[in-house]
Protein backbone atom coordinates (compact mmCIF):
# COMPACT_ATOMS: atom_id res chain seq x y z
CA UNK A 1 0.00 0.00 0.00
CA UNK A 2 1.41 3.28 -1.11
CA UNK A 3 1.10 6.59 0.70
CA UNK A 4 2.03 10.12 -0.35
CA UNK A 5 2.89 12.72 2.29
CA UNK A 6 2.48 16.34 1.17
CA UNK A 7 4.06 18.35 3.98
CA UNK A 8 6.53 21.25 4.05
CA UNK A 9 7.72 20.71 7.63
CA UNK A 10 10.52 18.39 6.66
CA UNK A 11 11.25 16.99 10.10
CA UNK A 12 7.58 16.13 10.63
CA UNK A 13 7.42 14.62 7.14
CA UNK A 14 10.49 12.50 7.87
CA UNK A 15 9.11 11.23 11.18
CA UNK A 16 5.75 10.31 9.62
CA UNK A 17 7.48 8.65 6.69
CA UNK A 18 9.75 6.57 8.91
CA UNK A 19 6.87 5.50 11.15
CA UNK A 20 4.76 4.41 8.17
CA UNK A 21 7.68 2.57 6.59
CA UNK A 22 8.08 0.71 9.88
CA UNK A 23 4.46 -0.41 9.36
CA UNK A 24 5.56 -1.68 5.89
CA UNK A 25 3.84 0.98 3.80
CA UNK A 26 5.58 2.24 0.66
CA UNK A 27 5.90 5.99 1.26
CA UNK A 28 6.71 8.95 -0.98
CA UNK A 29 6.90 12.58 0.02
CA UNK A 30 6.41 16.00 -1.52
CA UNK A 31 7.58 19.21 0.21
CA UNK A 32 5.22 21.64 -1.49
CA UNK A 33 2.03 21.89 -3.52
CA UNK A 34 3.76 21.80 -6.90
CA UNK A 35 5.64 18.58 -6.08
CA UNK A 36 2.43 17.07 -4.70
CA UNK A 37 0.50 17.94 -7.87
CA UNK A 38 3.26 16.47 -10.07
CA UNK A 39 3.14 13.24 -8.06
CA UNK A 40 -0.64 12.78 -8.13
CA UNK A 41 -0.71 13.40 -11.87
CA UNK A 42 2.05 10.86 -12.56
CA UNK A 43 1.29 8.17 -9.97
CA UNK A 44 -1.48 6.44 -8.05
CA UNK A 45 -1.57 6.17 -4.28
CA UNK A 46 -3.79 4.37 -1.81
CA UNK A 47 -3.76 7.33 0.51
CA UNK A 48 -2.51 10.93 0.71
CA UNK A 49 -1.61 12.78 3.92
CA UNK A 50 -2.18 16.39 3.04
CA UNK A 51 -0.99 19.50 4.82
CA UNK A 52 -3.13 22.58 4.08
CA UNK A 53 -0.70 25.45 4.58
CA UNK A 54 2.03 24.85 2.00
CA UNK A 55 4.61 27.46 0.95
CA UNK A 56 3.29 27.72 -2.62
CA UNK A 57 -0.45 27.45 -2.00
CA UNK A 58 -3.23 25.66 -0.16
CA UNK A 59 -3.41 21.87 0.04
CA UNK A 60 -7.10 22.37 -0.82
CA UNK A 61 -5.94 22.89 -4.43
CA UNK A 62 -4.57 19.37 -4.49
CA UNK A 63 -7.95 18.02 -3.38
CA UNK A 64 -9.60 19.97 -6.20
CA UNK A 65 -7.10 18.54 -8.68
CA UNK A 66 -7.73 14.96 -7.48
CA UNK A 67 -11.42 15.51 -8.06
CA UNK A 68 -10.80 16.92 -11.52
CA UNK A 69 -8.64 13.89 -12.39
CA UNK A 70 -11.37 11.54 -11.05
CA UNK A 71 -8.80 9.92 -8.77
CA UNK A 72 -9.88 7.70 -5.92
CA UNK A 73 -7.08 8.25 -3.40
CA UNK A 74 -8.14 8.38 0.24
CA UNK A 75 -7.08 11.71 1.77
CA UNK A 76 -6.41 12.64 5.37
CA UNK A 77 -5.89 16.36 5.94
CA UNK A 78 -3.17 17.23 8.44
CA UNK A 79 -3.50 20.79 9.55
CA UNK A 80 -2.22 23.07 12.25
CA UNK A 81 -5.10 25.34 11.43
CA UNK A 82 -7.84 23.61 13.36
CA UNK A 83 -10.52 25.76 11.80
CA UNK A 84 -14.04 24.55 11.14
CA UNK A 85 -14.02 26.22 7.70
CA UNK A 86 -10.94 24.28 6.60
CA UNK A 87 -12.34 21.04 7.90
CA UNK A 88 -15.71 21.53 6.20
CA UNK A 89 -14.17 22.62 2.90
CA UNK A 90 -11.76 19.67 2.92
CA UNK A 91 -14.43 17.13 3.73
CA UNK A 92 -16.79 18.64 1.14
CA UNK A 93 -14.08 18.29 -1.47
CA UNK A 94 -13.78 14.59 -0.78
CA UNK A 95 -11.20 14.31 2.01
CA UNK A 96 -11.89 11.24 4.16
CA UNK A 97 -10.60 12.47 7.47
CA UNK A 98 -9.01 15.42 9.25
CA UNK A 99 -6.30 15.34 11.87
CA UNK A 100 -5.23 18.49 13.74
CA UNK A 101 -1.54 18.98 14.51
CA UNK A 102 0.07 18.06 16.78
CA UNK A 103 -1.09 14.44 16.77
CA UNK A 104 0.24 11.14 18.08
CA UNK A 105 1.69 8.77 15.51
CA UNK A 106 -0.43 5.96 16.95
CA UNK A 107 -3.56 7.94 16.14
CA UNK A 108 -2.28 8.73 12.65
CA UNK A 109 -1.63 5.02 12.01
CA UNK A 110 -5.10 4.08 13.21
CA UNK A 111 -6.70 6.70 10.94
CA UNK A 112 -4.55 5.64 7.97
CA UNK A 113 -5.54 2.00 8.37
CA UNK A 114 -9.17 2.88 8.83
CA UNK A 115 -9.21 5.13 5.71
CA UNK A 116 -7.56 2.39 3.64
CA UNK A 117 -10.04 -0.19 4.97
CA UNK A 118 -12.93 2.02 3.87
CA UNK A 119 -11.38 2.66 0.47
CA UNK A 120 -10.10 -0.81 -0.44
CA UNK A 121 -12.14 -3.23 1.68
CA UNK A 122 -15.59 -1.63 2.10
CA UNK A 123 -14.63 -1.08 5.73
CA UNK A 124 -14.12 -4.79 6.42
CA UNK A 125 -11.21 -6.22 8.42
CA UNK A 126 -10.46 -8.72 5.70
CA UNK A 127 -10.72 -9.02 1.94
CA UNK A 128 -11.75 -12.28 0.33
CA UNK A 129 -11.28 -13.56 -3.20
CA UNK A 130 -12.24 -17.17 -3.96
CA UNK A 131 -10.67 -19.30 -1.20
CA UNK A 132 -8.10 -16.68 -0.23
CA UNK A 133 -8.58 -14.24 2.65
CA UNK A 134 -6.25 -11.34 3.53
CA UNK A 135 -6.17 -9.44 6.82
CA UNK A 136 -4.35 -6.20 5.94
CA UNK A 137 -4.02 -4.88 9.51
CA UNK A 138 -1.70 -7.77 10.41
CA UNK A 139 -0.73 -8.75 6.86
CA UNK A 140 -2.04 -12.26 7.40
CA UNK A 141 -3.11 -14.56 4.54
CA UNK A 142 -5.36 -17.62 4.75
CA UNK A 143 -5.82 -20.04 1.88
CA UNK A 144 -8.53 -22.62 2.51
CA UNK A 145 -8.53 -21.27 6.10
CA UNK A 146 -4.87 -22.24 6.57
CA UNK A 147 -2.34 -19.49 7.25
CA UNK A 148 0.29 -19.08 4.52
CA UNK A 149 3.51 -17.15 5.09
CA UNK A 150 4.31 -14.62 2.38
CA UNK A 151 7.25 -12.26 2.32
CA UNK A 152 6.60 -8.53 2.28
CA UNK A 153 6.52 -8.05 -1.48
CA UNK A 154 4.60 -11.26 -2.17
CA UNK A 155 1.94 -10.04 0.24
CA UNK A 156 1.88 -6.55 -1.35
CA UNK A 157 1.48 -8.06 -4.82
CA UNK A 158 -1.34 -10.36 -3.74
CA UNK A 159 -3.20 -7.55 -1.98
CA UNK A 160 -2.75 -5.27 -4.99
CA UNK A 161 -4.36 -7.84 -7.31
CA UNK A 162 -7.15 -8.88 -5.00
CA UNK A 163 -8.55 -5.41 -4.30
CA UNK A 164 -8.71 -4.53 -8.00
CA UNK A 165 -11.75 -5.92 -9.75
CA UNK A 166 -10.29 -5.63 -13.26
CA UNK A 167 -7.42 -7.99 -12.25
CA UNK A 168 -5.25 -7.12 -15.25
CA UNK A 169 -2.26 -5.15 -14.10
CA UNK A 170 0.17 -3.27 -16.25
CA UNK A 171 3.70 -4.16 -15.17
CA UNK A 172 4.85 -0.55 -14.68
CA UNK A 173 1.80 0.27 -12.53
CA UNK A 174 2.53 -2.83 -10.48
CA UNK A 175 6.21 -1.87 -10.10
CA UNK A 176 5.32 1.65 -8.96
CA UNK A 177 2.72 0.43 -6.51
CA UNK A 178 4.93 -2.16 -4.89
CA UNK A 179 8.37 -0.50 -5.02
CA UNK A 180 7.56 3.20 -5.22
CA UNK A 181 8.45 5.54 -8.03
CA UNK A 182 12.07 6.08 -6.98
CA UNK A 183 13.16 2.63 -8.03
CA UNK A 184 14.89 1.88 -11.30
CA UNK A 185 12.29 0.56 -13.70
CA UNK A 186 14.33 -2.32 -15.14
CA UNK A 187 15.35 -3.57 -11.70
CA UNK A 188 11.80 -3.42 -10.40
CA UNK A 189 10.48 -5.37 -13.40
CA UNK A 190 13.03 -8.11 -12.71
CA UNK A 191 11.99 -8.17 -9.06
CA UNK A 192 8.33 -8.40 -10.00
CA UNK A 193 9.05 -11.36 -12.21
CA UNK A 194 10.81 -13.29 -9.45
CA UNK A 195 8.37 -12.30 -6.69
CA UNK A 196 5.40 -13.29 -8.82
CA UNK A 197 7.04 -16.60 -9.57
CA UNK A 198 7.42 -17.29 -5.83
CA UNK A 199 3.90 -16.09 -5.10
CA UNK A 200 2.42 -18.33 -7.82
CA UNK A 201 4.19 -21.32 -6.35
CA UNK A 202 2.77 -20.63 -2.88
CA UNK A 203 -0.73 -20.13 -4.31
CA UNK A 204 -0.47 -23.39 -6.19
CA UNK A 205 1.02 -25.35 -3.26
CA UNK A 206 -1.93 -24.28 -1.10
CA UNK A 207 -4.55 -24.93 -3.81
CA UNK A 208 -5.68 -21.33 -4.26
CA UNK A 209 -8.61 -21.13 -6.69
CA UNK A 210 -6.81 -18.65 -8.93
CA UNK A 211 -3.44 -18.05 -10.52
CA UNK A 212 -1.46 -15.05 -11.78
CA UNK A 213 -0.49 -15.24 -15.42
CA UNK A 214 1.87 -13.12 -17.45
CA UNK A 215 0.26 -11.29 -20.35
CA UNK A 216 2.97 -10.84 -22.92
CA UNK A 217 4.04 -7.21 -23.33
CA UNK A 218 1.42 -5.89 -20.90
CA UNK A 219 1.75 -7.21 -17.40
CA UNK A 220 -0.02 -9.76 -15.25
CA UNK A 221 -3.52 -11.05 -14.91
CA UNK A 222 -5.34 -12.80 -12.11
CA UNK A 223 -7.13 -15.82 -13.58
CA1 LIG B 1 2.60 23.57 6.47
Amino acid sequence: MKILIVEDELELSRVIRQSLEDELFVVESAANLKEGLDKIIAFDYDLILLDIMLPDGSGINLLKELKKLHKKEAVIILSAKDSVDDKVEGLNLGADDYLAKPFHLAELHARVKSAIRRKNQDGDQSVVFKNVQLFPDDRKVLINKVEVKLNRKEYDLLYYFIIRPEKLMHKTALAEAIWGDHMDQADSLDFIYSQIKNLRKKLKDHSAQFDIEAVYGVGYKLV
Side-chain angles (χ1 to χ4, degrees):
M1 279 169 274
K2 198 169 145 194
I3 296 177
L4 174 66
I5 306 170
V6 184
E7 170 62 72
D8 62 310
E9 288 168 57
L10 297 182
E11 181 55 20
L12 176 63
S13 180
R14 193 193 61 75
V15 169
I16 295 174
R17 180 174 185 148
Q18 184 60 55
S19 77
L20 290 169
E21 284 175 349
D22 291 346
E23 301 273 311
L24 305 184
F25 289 102
V26 172
V27 187
E28 310 261 326
S29 43
N32 53 51
L33 181 62
K34 164 88 172 54
E35 265 183 51
L37 290 171
D38 288 348
K39 291 255 185 204
I40 62 158
I41 289 167
F43 304 106
D44 293 324
Y45 297 91
D46 292 287
L47 179 130
I48 298 170
L49 296 173
L50 180 63
D51 181 28
I52 294 297
M53 287 189 285
L54 295 163
D56 53 342
S58 168
I60 292 291
N61 292 325
L62 191 136
L63 270 179
K64 290 180 180 161
E65 190 63 25
L66 278 176
K67 211 168 183 178
K68 218 179 346 168
L69 296 166
H70 303 290
K71 295 203 123 192
K72 301 271 181 273
E73 273 84 346
V75 177
I76 299 177
I77 292 176
L78 307 178
S79 183
K81 212 167 110 186
D82 194 12
S83 85
V84 175
D85 284 355
D86 253 20
K87 202 179 283 190
V88 169
E89 191 181 9
L91 296 173
N92 278 341
L93 280 166
D96 299 84
D97 204 352
Y98 184 103
L99 199 51
K101 293 176 192 169
F103 46 80
H104 287 283
L105 287 172
E107 180 171 11
L108 177 70
H109 293 171
R111 303 260 194 139
V112 162
K113 287 179 181 175
S114 155
I116 289 178
R117 261 201 305 275
R118 285 194 302 271
K119 173 186 177 281
N120 290 347
Q121 301 149 223
D122 297 326
D124 291 339
Q125 293 290 339
S126 74
V127 44
V128 179
F129 183 66
K130 306 278 184 189
N131 61 349
V132 176
Q133 187 173 23
L134 270 71
F135 294 83
D137 283 1
D138 16 279
R139 302 174 64 91
K140 193 167 96 176
V141 179
L142 303 182
I143 304 181
N144 277 324
K145 301 194 165 56
V146 175
E147 186 169 358
V148 178
K149 293 283 174 210
L150 298 184
N151 74 24
R152 177 178 175 181
K153 295 305 182 190
E154 290 164 1
Y155 173 88
D156 288 347
L157 283 164
L158 184 61
Y159 180 81
Y160 189 85
F161 274 106
I162 281 188
I163 60 166
R164 284 171 173 77
E166 63 273 30
K167 316 281 190 219
L168 170 63
M169 295 302 138
H170 196 278
K171 55 192 173 188
T172 54
L174 206 51
E176 282 162 17
I178 309 296
W179 280 274
D181 36 74
H182 53 274
M183 187 164 178
D184 179 71
Q185 189 94 133
D187 283 350
S188 61
L189 295 180
D190 281 350
F191 276 121
I192 284 196
Y193 176 80
S194 62
Q195 297 288 338
I196 285 190
K197 197 171 133 198
N198 297 339
L199 175 59
R200 290 186 69 187
K201 181 167 187 318
K202 289 184 186 178
L203 291 171
K204 189 161 179 264
D205 289 350
H206 292 85
S207 310
Q209 290 165 338
F210 59 87
D211 191 8
I212 296 167
E213 276 181 1
V215 180
Y216 185 74
V218 180
Y220 294 91
K221 192 165 92 178
L222 208 150
V223 290

